[in-house]
């Protein structure tokens, strides 16, 4: 898939006469993520309105604007829709017992990926599509309007291609993750499996993928194997991302920076050198606090990353093993309470940070020509995500998946 998702839905509009416009009016606090439009890095406006024409933001203005349709925000807060840049939504089966065992003291080691692979291979594409649709519906109710979806539970040529075809029915942000774990049939032969991933599997996956990813971790794949996967993906025209430093210190972050990955995800165990490398690069550090929560791992040191100048994203990482949630509001509460991010930093990380991790400029912000994807909160400010944890604070999500 070579299409650039930026602006792909924009249509030339000759003005209000020919276009359908909607105004979100009477916004008490509007987060635009465009410093040119308001105060501070979040570009905050008070008593505001957003006019959306044919799906794109036409104007950010004062309350009282006029359009074909009016939605009254009743003085509440409006934010850009969440951009969830890391998910594994195409899966079947259930690993609740693995979770229960973990809560009783067992460590997470990623081995359960093979359990999900068995279940996913046995599920029809219609069933997988139904499961993805339901997970996206829940994400949307929680304010998410852009979602990256990885493969990684097929782990053979046909099932990786099939799961990516299911994913591309829902998002342009599809990621080929054949290098998720060595499947049963290749146990003890990881390099042979990497040959397959870089050969026939990539050839079958690439037409349905925008990105390629690999799990760089002890017990999964080492840096040399991941480098081979990323190089093959780059040669096939895919963008690069990497799972790294999730279960212990390792070479994932440095490999991601060396290879110019758009994002390295997890970043739970970082050395000073890792942080310096991220801060001096364009690679986004994508933090997945719900995974650290569900695996009883420490949280990443977001404060040090931010203070060093790294770009940080927050994503939910919905998957059946380490993080079975699509709730970005839950992640925001963890980020503020346990990762010492401010509410402003956490919100930015889950909106414009996620967009940056996906190389997108048309989402994650509410400025003219961006997509009109937003969430109206049942709260006067975004601080309430951490202040009222566990509450449903999304009154209305405007954007896809609805
Ligand atoms: O991002 N770490 C690798 N992949 C997923 C977990 C996969 C699973 O346990 O099924 C993650 O956490």
């Amino acid at each position: 898939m070579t299409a650039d998702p930026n602006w792909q839905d924009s249509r030339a509009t000759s003005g209000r006469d020919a276009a359908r416009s909607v105004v979100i009016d009477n916004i008490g606090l509007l987060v635009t993520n465009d410093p040119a439009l308001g105060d501070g890095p979040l570009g905050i406006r008070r008593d505001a309105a957003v006019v959306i024409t044919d799906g794109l933001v036409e104007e950010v203005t004062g309350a009282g604007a006029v359009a074909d349709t009016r939605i009254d925000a009743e003085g509440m807060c409006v934010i850009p829709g969440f951009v969830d840049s890391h998910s594994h939504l195409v899966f079947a089966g259930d690993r609740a017992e693995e979770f229960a065992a973990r809560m009783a003291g067992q460590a997470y080691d990623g081995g359960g990926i093979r359990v999900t692979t068995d279940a996913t291979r046995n599920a029809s594409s219609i069933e997988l599509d139904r499961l993805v649709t339901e997970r996206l519906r829940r994400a949307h109710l929680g304010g998410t309007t852009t979602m990256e979806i990885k493969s990684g539970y097929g782990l053979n040529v046909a099932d990786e291609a099939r799961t990516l075809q299911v994913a591309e029915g829902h998002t342009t942000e599809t990621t080929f993750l054949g290098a998720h774990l060595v499947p049963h049939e290749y146990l003890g032969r990881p390099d042979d499996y990497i040959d397959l991933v870089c050969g026939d599997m990539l050839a079958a996956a690439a037409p349905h993928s925008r990105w390629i990813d690999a799990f760089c971790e002890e017990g999964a794949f080492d840096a040399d194997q991941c480098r081979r996967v990323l190089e093959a993906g780059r040669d096939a025209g895919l963008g690069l991302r990497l799972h790294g430093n999730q279960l212990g210190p390792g070479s994932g972050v440095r490999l991601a920076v060396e290879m110019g990955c758009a994002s390295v995800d997890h970043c739970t165990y970082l050395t000073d050198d890792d942080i310096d490398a991220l801060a001096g690069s364009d690679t986004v550090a994508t933090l997945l606090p719900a995974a650290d929560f569900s695996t009883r791992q420490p949280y990443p040191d977001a404060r040090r990353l931010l203070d060093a100048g790294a770009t940080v994203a927050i994503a939910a990482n919905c998957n059946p093993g380490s993080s079975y949630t699509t709730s970005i509001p839950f992640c925001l509460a963890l980020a503020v309470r346990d990762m010492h991010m401010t509410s402003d930093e956490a919100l930015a990380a889950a909106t414009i940070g996620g967009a940056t991790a996906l190389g997108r400029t048309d989402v994650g912000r509410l400025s003219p020509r961006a997509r009109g994807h937003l969430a109206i909160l049942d709260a006067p400010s975004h601080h309430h995500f951490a202040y009222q944890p566990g509450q449903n604070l999304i009154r209305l999500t405007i954007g896809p998946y609805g």
Side-chain angles (χ1 to χ4, degrees), residues 83-94:
V83 179
D84 189 341
S85 60
H86 185 133
S87 91
H88 305 252
L89 285 196
V90 194
F91 66 86
D94 180 279

Side-chain angles (χ1 to χ4, degrees), residues 354-402:
T356 306
L358 293 173
R360 298 279 296 267
T361 55
D362 61 330
V363 294
R365 71 185 76 208
L366 292 171
S367 49
R369 292 198 67 219
R371 295 189 192 209
H373 295 175
L374 54 84
I376 303 175
L377 309 192
D378 248 331
S381 78
H382 53 292
H383 301 295
H384 284 250
F385 286 122
Y387 178 43
Q388 296 191 58
Q391 306 273 35
N392 177 10
L393 296 181
I394 307 293
R395 180 180 289 188
L396 181 68
T397 306
I398 297 180
Y401 316 132

Side-chain angles (χ1 to χ4, degrees), residues 20-41:
R20 275 170 26 119
S21 62
V22 54
V23 59
I24 318 301
D25 199 11
N26 195 14
I27 301 171
L29 188 154
L30 172 67
V31 175
T32 66
N33 277 339
D34 183 345
L37 293 177
D39 296 335

Side-chain angles (χ1 to χ4, degrees), residues 86 88 95 98 102 108-114 116 150 152-153 177 180 215 217 220 243 246-247 265-266 288 291 295 317-323:
H86 185 133
H88 305 252
R95 283 161 57 195
E98 176 191 316
R102 199 152 63 235
Y108 173 84
D109 66 0
I113 290 169
R114 293 189 191 95
T116 301
K150 300 177 200 299
Y153 296 116
L177 180 59
H180 200 189
F215 185 13
E217 199 80 39
H243 285 63
Q246 176 184 4
L247 305 175
D265 297 35
H266 284 286
L288 309 169
T295 55
N317 185 18
C318 182
N319 75 78
S322 69
S323 179

Side-chain angles (χ1 to χ4, degrees), residues 4-54:
D4 178 354
N6 288 320
W7 318 115
Q8 66 178 5
D9 281 353
S10 62
R11 280 174 275 165
T13 51
S14 54
R16 288 275 173 75
D17 297 345
R20 275 170 26 119
S21 62
V22 54
V23 59
I24 318 301
D25 199 11
N26 195 14
I27 301 171
L29 188 154
L30 172 67
V31 175
T32 66
N33 277 339
D34 183 345
L37 293 177
D39 296 335
L42 294 190
I44 287 180
R45 297 272 291 247
R46 290 177 194 279
D47 301 318
V50 179
V51 179
I52 300 168
T53 301
D54 273 351

